[in-house]
Amino acid sequence: MDYRQSEQDPVSPYFAPHEPTNRMKFSGPGIASFVLSLLAVIGYIAALALIISTAMDLVDQPAEAIAADLMQRSGTVLGVLLFLISGVLDLVGLILGIVGLAIRNRRKVFAILGTIFSVLPLVLFIFLIVLGSLTV
Protein backbone atom coordinates (compact mmCIF):
# COMPACT_ATOMS: atom_id res chain seq x y z
CA MET A 1 0.00 0.00 0.00
CA ASP A 2 1.36 3.38 -0.98
CA TYR A 3 1.65 6.19 1.55
CA ARG A 4 -0.29 8.58 -0.67
CA GLN A 5 -3.18 6.15 -0.83
CA SER A 6 -3.44 5.88 2.96
CA GLU A 7 -3.67 9.66 3.19
CA GLN A 8 -6.69 9.73 0.91
CA ASP A 9 -8.36 6.57 2.19
CA PRO A 10 -10.68 7.49 5.08
CA VAL A 11 -10.91 3.89 6.32
CA SER A 12 -7.17 3.57 6.78
CA PRO A 13 -6.04 3.54 10.42
CA TYR A 14 -3.37 6.07 9.52
CA PHE A 15 -5.85 8.64 8.25
CA ALA A 16 -6.03 11.64 10.55
CA PRO A 17 -8.19 14.35 9.06
CA HIS A 18 -7.46 17.88 10.05
CA GLU A 19 -10.55 19.25 11.72
CA PRO A 20 -10.48 22.91 12.65
CA THR A 21 -11.19 23.39 16.32
CA ASN A 22 -13.50 26.16 17.33
CA ARG A 23 -12.27 26.28 20.89
CA MET A 24 -12.59 29.62 22.61
CA LYS A 25 -9.51 31.20 24.10
CA PHE A 26 -9.24 32.03 27.77
CA SER A 27 -9.81 35.59 28.80
CA GLY A 28 -6.48 37.42 29.23
CA PRO A 29 -7.72 39.75 31.98
CA GLY A 30 -9.34 36.72 33.63
CA ILE A 31 -6.00 34.89 33.79
CA ALA A 32 -4.33 38.03 35.15
CA SER A 33 -7.09 38.36 37.75
CA PHE A 34 -6.63 34.76 38.84
CA VAL A 35 -2.85 35.12 39.16
CA LEU A 36 -3.12 38.42 41.07
CA SER A 37 -5.72 37.01 43.44
CA LEU A 38 -3.53 33.99 44.19
CA LEU A 39 -0.55 36.28 44.80
CA ALA A 40 -2.70 38.39 47.12
CA VAL A 41 -3.81 35.33 49.11
CA ILE A 42 -0.18 34.24 49.46
CA GLY A 43 0.67 37.81 50.53
CA TYR A 44 -2.08 37.80 53.17
CA ILE A 45 -0.82 34.51 54.58
CA ALA A 46 2.79 35.74 54.62
CA ALA A 47 1.80 39.05 56.26
CA LEU A 48 -0.22 37.28 58.92
CA ALA A 49 2.64 34.86 59.64
CA LEU A 50 5.14 37.73 59.83
CA ILE A 51 3.00 39.77 62.23
CA ILE A 52 2.20 36.76 64.43
CA SER A 53 5.84 35.66 64.61
CA THR A 54 6.86 39.19 65.58
CA ALA A 55 4.12 39.40 68.21
CA MET A 56 5.08 36.02 69.68
CA ASP A 57 8.49 37.45 70.60
CA LEU A 58 6.77 39.96 72.88
CA VAL A 59 4.57 37.56 74.87
CA ASP A 60 6.68 37.83 78.05
CA GLN A 61 6.49 41.64 78.23
CA PRO A 62 3.80 43.65 80.06
CA ALA A 63 0.78 44.85 78.04
CA GLU A 64 1.83 48.53 78.00
CA ALA A 65 5.23 47.75 76.52
CA ILE A 66 3.85 45.39 73.86
CA ALA A 67 1.93 48.05 71.91
CA ALA A 68 4.86 50.47 71.82
CA ASP A 69 7.46 47.83 71.03
CA LEU A 70 5.37 46.00 68.43
CA MET A 71 5.05 48.97 66.09
CA GLN A 72 8.79 49.63 66.24
CA ARG A 73 9.74 46.15 65.09
CA SER A 74 10.53 45.72 61.42
CA GLY A 75 8.54 42.47 61.16
CA THR A 76 5.34 44.25 62.07
CA VAL A 77 5.95 47.13 59.69
CA LEU A 78 6.79 44.74 56.84
CA GLY A 79 3.73 42.62 57.66
CA VAL A 80 1.43 45.64 57.53
CA LEU A 81 2.98 46.82 54.25
CA LEU A 82 2.64 43.35 52.76
CA PHE A 83 -0.98 43.28 53.89
CA LEU A 84 -1.68 46.63 52.19
CA ILE A 85 0.09 45.55 49.00
CA SER A 86 -2.00 42.36 48.97
CA GLY A 87 -5.13 44.50 49.32
CA VAL A 88 -4.13 46.56 46.29
CA LEU A 89 -3.45 43.35 44.34
CA ASP A 90 -6.92 42.15 45.29
CA LEU A 91 -8.54 45.36 44.06
CA VAL A 92 -6.68 45.19 40.75
CA GLY A 93 -7.55 41.48 40.48
CA LEU A 94 -11.21 42.26 41.09
CA ILE A 95 -11.25 44.92 38.38
CA LEU A 96 -9.50 42.61 35.91
CA GLY A 97 -11.88 39.79 36.82
CA ILE A 98 -14.89 41.96 36.05
CA VAL A 99 -13.29 43.02 32.76
CA GLY A 100 -12.58 39.36 31.97
CA LEU A 101 -16.22 38.49 32.64
CA ALA A 102 -17.37 41.22 30.27
CA ILE A 103 -15.31 40.05 27.28
CA ARG A 104 -17.37 38.08 24.79
CA ASN A 105 -16.41 34.86 23.03
CA ARG A 106 -13.82 33.96 25.67
CA ARG A 107 -13.74 31.30 28.33
CA LYS A 108 -14.58 32.80 31.67
CA VAL A 109 -13.27 30.15 34.09
CA PHE A 110 -10.23 32.13 35.23
CA ALA A 111 -12.21 35.37 35.33
CA ILE A 112 -14.78 33.78 37.64
CA LEU A 113 -12.12 32.22 39.88
CA GLY A 114 -10.11 35.44 39.98
CA THR A 115 -13.18 37.47 40.88
CA ILE A 116 -14.19 35.06 43.64
CA PHE A 117 -10.66 34.86 45.08
CA SER A 118 -10.44 38.66 45.00
CA VAL A 119 -13.82 39.31 46.57
CA LEU A 120 -13.56 36.84 49.46
CA PRO A 121 -10.62 38.51 51.27
CA LEU A 122 -12.15 41.95 50.75
CA VAL A 123 -15.49 40.82 52.17
CA LEU A 124 -13.71 39.14 55.09
CA PHE A 125 -11.70 42.30 55.73
CA ILE A 126 -14.84 44.48 55.70
CA PHE A 127 -16.58 41.97 57.99
CA LEU A 128 -13.68 42.12 60.46
CA ILE A 129 -13.70 45.94 60.42
CA VAL A 130 -17.45 45.99 61.12
CA LEU A 131 -17.07 43.35 63.82
CA GLY A 132 -14.22 45.28 65.40
CA SER A 133 -16.15 48.55 65.37
CA LEU A 134 -19.15 46.89 67.02
CA THR A 135 -17.08 45.55 69.90
CA VAL A 136 -15.52 48.93 70.76
Side-chain angles (χ1 to χ4, degrees):
M1 183 190 296
D2 190 33
Y3 177 73
R4 283 177 267 151
Q5 285 178 337
S6 67
E7 246 183 274
Q8 298 168 354
D9 186 14
V11 233
S12 170
Y14 302 109
F15 180 75
H18 182 271
E19 296 179 15
T21 57
N22 292 333
R23 298 181 69 190
M24 291 191 303
K25 293 182 180 179
F26 287 103
S27 170
I31 294 172
S33 168
F34 179 70
V35 170
L36 286 178
S37 65
L38 286 182
L39 286 175
V41 168
I42 292 170
Y44 286 133
I45 293 170
L48 187 63
L50 193 59
I51 292 171
I52 288 175
S53 69
T54 305
M56 292 303 289
D57 293 340
L58 304 174
V59 171
D60 299 335
Q61 295 183 3
E64 302 85 32
I66 290 177
D69 195 25
L70 188 62
M71 291 311 290
Q72 293 177 356
R73 297 211 176 210
S74 62
T76 305
V77 174
L78 288 175
V80 170
L81 284 175
L82 188 58
F83 192 81
L84 291 174
I85 290 170
S86 297
V88 170
L89 285 176
D90 257 343
L91 286 174
V92 172
L94 177 63
I95 292 169
L96 286 174
I98 292 171
V99 168
L101 288 172
I103 295 177
R104 294 183 181 183
N105 297 328
R106 297 290 177 143
R107 287 182 159 180
K108 296 180 181 0
V109 174
F110 287 115
I112 291 170
L113 289 174
T115 304
I116 289 172
F117 289 156
S118 294
V119 165
L120 285 179
L122 294 175
V123 168
L124 180 65
F125 183 67
I126 291 170
F127 175 73
L128 289 176
I129 287 176
V130 169
L131 187 67
S133 67
L134 292 178
T135 58
V136 172

